[in-house]
Each structure stands twice: as structure tokens, then as C-alpha cells.
Amino acid sequence: FTTADGAQEAAASDFAISAADPQTIYATGIGASGRYLSAVNKSQDGGAHWYRVTNGLPPTTAEDPQWQASAIVVHPHNPDVAYVALRMKSGGGLIYRTTNGGEEWYEIYALPENPTDLTISATDPETIVCATEQGVVHVGREGGSQWQSYDLGLGLLYAVDVFPADPDRIVVGANIAGAFLTTDGGESWQHVFDADDLQYFVGDLALSDFARDRYWPTIRAVRFDPHDPEVLYIGHNPGIWMGVGVLKSVDGGQSWESLADGRFQMRSVYDFDLDPESHDLVVGTWDIYYYNAEIYEHYLPVILISGGKDGEH
């Protein structure tokens, strides 16, 4: 990977693999130790070779980067259509679209906040959703020609996902505040995972009451089961404390179970992906873990809480 001007190497920060053509992969770049730089790259051979795709994005240099790409997504049926969210050095963010595989990008939306994550609807790919550092969710319709903003008042949002068959069903993961769900496109939000829910999973991970009080429900990754709108997955990462791993709900966030056992040591989850058929997971922590759903379901115990929203667990 290199920066947009080709003058400097870059690391990868986000990937978008085309469902229609898995050999096509888009990626955003980042500097060492999270250093700010400008990079968007693409591969058409499954990652064997990469090249820059930044034509039409704002001017920038390796010495004085003017933007950093926060997230990228690709159209589920057309590998030539993709969207990238940029965090601007001057403040705020921009969302760009390409319809020719990255040969040229054009701006479709400017937002006053810094974007953190971007997702696209699998069955309504004209709907895209952007989360921000300031707790605002931006929902774009008609390929980004129409936008609506929803301020959750939460501060940093790490992750967002949209249920494939219903683009009005959106889940977000927040710093300290937990996870929130909307079923009406953002008009109203339910707090589906909070600090009270988290405490039932902390257990011996907290070595003192001081630590337990600081086990915040910070959620860095969220996913819907694409076949069931009531099934949610969230990844916990409370910063300096060890996380509780990946949690699953089968009732729209009313109750949660832990998908962790003694072999899952590094439980602070940064990201994960879900196989929609097998429900197996690949989980990114400080290490990489593979979760076999069938084996776990039959042989490993889970921790289950229910009724968390009315105070009775």
C-alpha cells in the first residue's frame, strides 16, 4: 500500500470485499501507530496486487495529508460501485462514490462530524449509513442523493450495521454507552446493551471493585444475522481493561449470551465478521480467533442474561 501520491508506504485500516466478485477488494490506509495519512487502494486479484484509486478525491500529500479514509464499502451486486468516508484535516468529513471501480470518485455528501464507520444495505444498496465520532448517524438514500441525520447524543460511535432485508433496521456500537438499535430508520432508538447488561459478563476479569466500576460497555463492532432481524452480534472492547468478547442476542437485544470460553484469551474485540450460513465468526483482537458455531452450540457453555431492560436479569 502507498499514500495517494505514491510517496509513502501505508498500512490497511478497512476493507470492502465485493460479494459479486470476491477477487475485487477496496481498502483504506493508515500510518504506523494510527498516524494520519491519505490512502485508498484496490485489488482485482484477491489481494495479490494492489494499486491506488484516489482520482477525484481531495488533493493531498504524504508530507501534509489533508484527509484520512475512515471506512469503505462496496455495492453488493456491482463491484464497480463503492463509497468511501473521509475524515478531513480541516474538520468534518466527506463521502465519495465511484461508479467505475475507483477510476474516478465524486463527492456525494459533506458532514460536519468526523466519520468512523460506513455500511451499505445488501438488498437496498441505494441506502448507505455513516456513523461519526460525535454521535450522529447519517442515513443516505437514493445512492447518497438524499440524507437524513440523527443525533444520538452519545459521543463516539465506533460501528454501524444495517439489516439486509430492512434498511430501516440499524444497530450502532458506541464508546462507553453500549449498543443502540433503531427499527424505523433512525427516528427512534432503543438502548439494547448497557452497563448493567455488561456486569453479568465481567466476572473474574475485574480484579477489583475499582476495575469493575470502569468496565464500560464500549462496543467496537456490530453485526446483524442477515437471515433474522432479531439476531444481533456485538464486540466488546473497554480500552485498557480486558473485554468480554463477542455477545449474541436472539431477541433484538433484550437478552444476551457470551460466545467465549477458556480458549478465547484476548477478549477485547476490535472487529469480527460473520459467515451468514454457518454462523462461524472470525474475530480480530490482539490475536485472530475462529469461532465454530456448531461445535460451540453443542459442547461449550454460555452465559445468558434476560430481561435486562426492566432491571430483572
Side-chain angles (χ1 to χ4, degrees), residues 140-153:
R141 311 285 185 181
E142 305 298 328
S145 61
Q146 302 175 13
W147 289 86
Q148 184 68 45
S149 301
Y150 303 95
D151 189 350
L152 277 63

Side-chain angles (χ1 to χ4, degrees), residues 266-280:
M266 310 305 295
R267 297 185 183 181
S268 292
V269 175
Y270 289 91
D271 202 1
F272 64 85
D273 210 352
L274 169 74
D275 185 313
E277 301 303 328
S278 68
H279 293 161
D280 294 346

Side-chain angles (χ1 to χ4, degrees), residues 125-231:
E126 295 298 292
T127 296
I128 52 178
V129 185
C130 179
T132 72
E133 286 186 357
Q134 288 73 30
V136 180
V137 177
H138 299 265
V139 180
R141 311 285 185 181
E142 305 298 328
S145 61
Q146 302 175 13
W147 289 86
Q148 184 68 45
S149 301
Y150 303 95
D151 189 350
L152 277 63
L154 300 174
L156 174 58
L157 300 178
Y158 277 113
V160 61
D161 195 28
V162 58
F163 181 64
D166 181 3
D168 286 337
R169 186 176 288 264
I170 302 166
V171 61
V172 297
N175 181 44
I176 300 177
F180 292 78
L181 172 72
T182 180
T183 59
D184 55 15
E187 295 296 333
S188 61
W189 294 83
Q190 308 167 40
H191 198 178
V192 294
F193 188 78
D194 58 24
D196 290 337
D197 295 328
L198 174 64
Q199 287 303 316
Y200 284 84
F201 299 99
V202 172
D204 294 337
L205 296 179
L207 301 181
S208 66
D209 290 340
F210 176 86
R212 182 177 292 277
D213 290 342
R214 287 156 181 79
Y215 256 90
W216 298 310
T218 294
I219 304 301
R220 286 183 179 256
V222 294
R223 291 285 188 281
F224 282 104
D225 180 333
H227 302 296
D228 188 337
E230 295 298 307
V231 178

